[in-house]
Amino acid sequence: MTYLLAIDQGTSSSRSIVFDERGSILAQAQQELTQIYPRPGWVEHDPMEIWRTQLATARDALAKAGIGARDVRALGITNQRETTVLWNRRTGLPLHNAIVWQDRRAEPTCVELRARGLAPKIQAKTGLLVDAYFSGTKLKWLLDQVPGARQQAANGELAFGTIDSWLIWQLTHGAVHATDVSNASRTMLFNVHSNQWDDELLQALDIPASLLPAIKPSSALFGEVDADLLGAAVPIGGVAGDQQSALFGQACFKPGMVKNTYGTGCFMLMHTGQRFQTSSNGLITTSAAQTTPQPEFAMEGSVFVGGAVVQWLRDGLRAIPSSAEVQALAESVPDAGGVIVVPAFTGLGAPYWKPDARGSITGLSRGSTLAHIARAALESIAFQSAALLQAMSRDAVQAGAAAVAELRVDGGACVNNLLMQFQADLLGIPVVRPAVIETTALGAAYLAGLATGVYQSTDELSALWQAERRFLPTMSPARAAELMERWEHAVRQTVL
């Protein structure tokens, strides 16, 4: 039997999963990650905790599977994107906590870039809107604010990376400083047309090129895990940002195929093949996971707070003792009773892009209960995702393609049947849940398998994909449109 090990470093946890060559899960291990909130709107992680927990889960997953590192054909890495680490090349130690993708501290830099008229050029080169979400402005903040960082960078002593680069560095004991195109495309420093770092963008943000990792396709040989760490050297054959990895794991290889991942946030991607398309509906263009040097693209919409709203119900409102109980509480009422929750805790992402929005609960009445709020919070995930898909369909039609016909779903919250049915009702198209919902990790495993000869083509991977359940819409289009208008009205009220 051939085994593949995927390490999936996410926002709220580090996980490792052992797959067999048919994409079935043999074993997995997971550890939660500490969330650090120094100020409102700021979010950090400890990079050393990320490394420790990721290594521990890899060892645990192999032990649970009853295999050793020698039995693993290749390792794939997938990761929370945009989260930014700056470390010392000699010691391998970070200069500061990692700045997480949700963090908004770099917004003043974004205001300056927009004022300088650079937004159109940045979008043309990177596919991205100017926003504090992306890594480049976070890196500039670190260089400007950490004492001595700029001088050390000028001396060539520092390395920058997103979480994939940080893990590759640690796994290879500093032998490899690299990233893949999908992660590089989230930095606002990378030209997606040439697949290279862009000197003009580096100059605009005053970032030395010496900080940057080498760039490879997502399916490539990145180096080997040091034998001391897992017990044997293992080739690192696949690297992709979590959402591009999920698109790959969902076998969305053809233009027009769409997936939505329901994690801490929600991330919807539509593969557009080799066609670079700029959205006119608030979406961004990003590099898809690539198996060759040829650029491939996807349209993307990002919801900053998806499944995290359930954590807020648990930890903030204390409405539920555990996240698993949210469906039962929500189902204890027939509907949300007119209540709408807009979880704009760190602003609103696509298609709105309102960094100054803040969370709201509207439609409260004397009869409103925690159950109504819980149901409205759950429904907010579907409302935000529906707004994304509607924008995506408009872009597709404007480009002469067909509107989206079905949505493939994955991520932790997709196991919630109430949420998936409501999603299908709002969209008016089938929502399809796969047999293996851990498609983020699966995509990394597939990329690693392609690089090491386990698989010969993406056609072989398409044949492995299987649906577990299809949720068909039961709500009338008129009712769905009415609910979406209520949602949009509530969104408009989040910005004063």
Side-chain angles (χ1 to χ4, degrees):
M1 181 65 73
T2 298
Y3 301 105
L4 297 164
L5 174 62
I7 61 178
D8 179 1
Q9 205 300 300
T11 309
S12 56
S13 69
S14 297
R15 292 189 305 160
S16 294
I17 302 179
V18 178
F19 293 95
D20 66 20
E21 62 191 67
R22 295 198 57 78
S24 298
I25 294 174
L26 271 71
Q28 58 183 308
Q30 181 169 348
Q31 290 190 19
E32 281 204 20
L33 196 63
T34 305
Q35 307 298 306
I36 303 166
Y37 304 104
R39 298 185 192 175
W42 291 27
V43 190
E44 297 178 356
H45 290 158
D46 177 355
M48 298 310 297
E49 183 187 5
I50 287 175
W51 166 233
R52 286 192 304 269
T53 54
Q54 197 61 75
L55 179 60
T57 61
R59 290 169 171 169
D60 288 351
L62 291 174
K64 288 179 179 179
I67 63 172
R70 287 182 178 82
D71 303 311
V72 176
R73 184 73 165 270
L75 177 144
I77 297 173
T78 185
N79 56 282
Q80 53 167 316
R81 304 169 305 168
E82 299 94 20
T83 296
T84 300
V85 187
L86 186 63
W87 69 92
N88 184 286
R89 290 181 179 274
R90 182 178 58 82
T91 66
L93 296 176
L95 271 69
H96 190 276
N97 279 336
I99 302 181
V100 178
W101 58 272
Q102 298 162 307
D103 190 283
R104 305 304 302 173
R105 75 185 69 185
E107 179 58 25
T109 299
C110 296
V111 171
E112 180 190 344
L113 290 172
R114 296 183 202 112
R116 289 163 60 189
L118 292 174
K121 180 174 290 187
I122 289 171
Q123 186 174 21
K125 289 188 172 196
T126 69
L128 308 177
L129 302 177
V130 173
D131 193 82
Y133 177 25
F134 304 110
S135 310
T137 54
K138 293 174 167 61
L139 175 56
K140 176 175 167 51
W141 187 94
L142 288 168
L143 291 171
D144 290 342
Q145 300 299 324
V146 176
R150 281 220 170 265
Q151 186 58 53
Q152 292 177 67
N155 296 340
E157 299 170 9
L158 303 184
F160 151 76
T162 43
I163 296 301
D164 58 308
S165 297
W166 170 245
L167 291 175
I168 292 168
W169 179 279
Q170 297 294 340
L171 286 165
T172 62
H173 281 327
V176 180
H177 183 211
T179 189
D180 89 300
V181 291
S182 69
N183 278 293
S185 75
R186 313 299 294 188
T187 61
M188 224 163 71
L189 306 172
F190 177 75
N191 190 312
V192 296
H193 307 282
S194 64
N195 275 354
Q196 294 178 335
W197 300 117
D198 191 283
D199 290 337
E200 190 176 11
L201 297 178
L202 292 175
Q203 186 176 0
L205 284 166
D206 194 16
I207 291 172
S210 62
L211 290 170
L212 305 177
I215 304 165
K216 291 178 176 282
S218 310
S219 182
L221 294 177
F222 285 78
E224 287 189 336
V225 178
D226 192 281
D228 292 342
L229 295 173
L230 296 178
V234 179
I236 302 171
V239 175
D242 50 11
Q243 303 316 316
Q244 288 97 331
S245 188
L247 188 72
F248 202 86
Q250 284 276 32
C252 292
F253 305 131
K254 297 178 181 178
M257 298 184 75
V258 184
K259 73 87 197 174
N260 194 30
T261 297
Y262 298 81
T264 303
C266 290
F267 302 89
M268 187 177 293
L269 273 72
M270 176 172 66
H271 208 295
T272 61
Q274 296 178 11
R275 175 172 53 85
F276 178 89
Q277 178 186 346
T278 300
S279 173
S280 56
N281 292 284
L283 305 179
I284 60 175
T285 309
T286 194
S287 295
Q290 295 168 19
T291 59
T292 72
Q294 173 66 46
E296 293 184 50
F297 303 104
M299 300 289 290
E300 176 174 340
S302 304
V303 169
F304 294 159
V305 177
V309 74
V310 178
Q311 293 176 315
W312 170 72
L313 286 172
R314 181 192 67 190
D315 302 333
L317 289 190
R318 302 192 182 278
I320 48 175
S322 69
S323 298
E325 296 179 50
V326 67
Q327 180 167 337
L329 180 60
E331 285 184 332
S332 69
V333 290
D335 54 45
V339 176
I340 294 179
V341 172
V342 181
F345 304 143
T346 56
L348 285 171
Y352 308 106
W353 297 107
K354 294 182 176 180
D356 53 348
R358 287 298 175 263
S360 69
I361 304 176
T362 62
L364 291 170
S365 69
R366 183 64 182 84
S368 300
T369 66
L370 270 179
H372 292 105
I373 294 173
R375 186 163 184 130
L378 203 59
E379 289 180 351
S380 75
I381 303 172
F383 277 125
Q384 292 177 97
S385 296
L388 288 183
L389 190 126
Q390 289 177 356
M392 204 165 275
S393 284
R394 287 194 295 272
D395 277 327
V397 171
Q398 288 167 11
V404 178
E406 75 169 24
L407 178 66
R408 294 186 175 186
V409 297
D410 54 68
C414 86
V415 301
N416 189 303
N417 293 335
L418 177 68
L419 174 59
M420 292 299 100
Q421 184 58 56
F422 189 65
Q423 188 72 86
D425 287 341
L426 286 179
L427 296 176
I429 60 174
V431 167
V432 187
R433 186 167 62 199
V436 177
I437 65 168
E438 302 295 350
T439 54
T440 303
L442 183 61
Y446 281 166
L447 288 164
L450 278 170
T452 53
V454 177
Y455 310 110
Q456 303 307 311
S457 69
T458 53
D459 288 342
E460 189 177 347
L461 300 178
S462 292
L464 293 176
W465 186 89
Q466 291 182 319
E468 179 263 329
R469 180 168 172 180
R470 294 174 65 86
F471 295 86
L472 302 177
T474 58
M475 186 181 290
S476 73
R479 175 60 176 162
E482 178 188 351
L483 289 175
M484 283 304 298
E485 177 49 41
R486 289 185 186 178
W487 164 259
E488 295 294 345
H489 178 72
V491 165
R492 290 192 290 272
Q493 293 179 299
T494 63
V495 182
L496 301 177

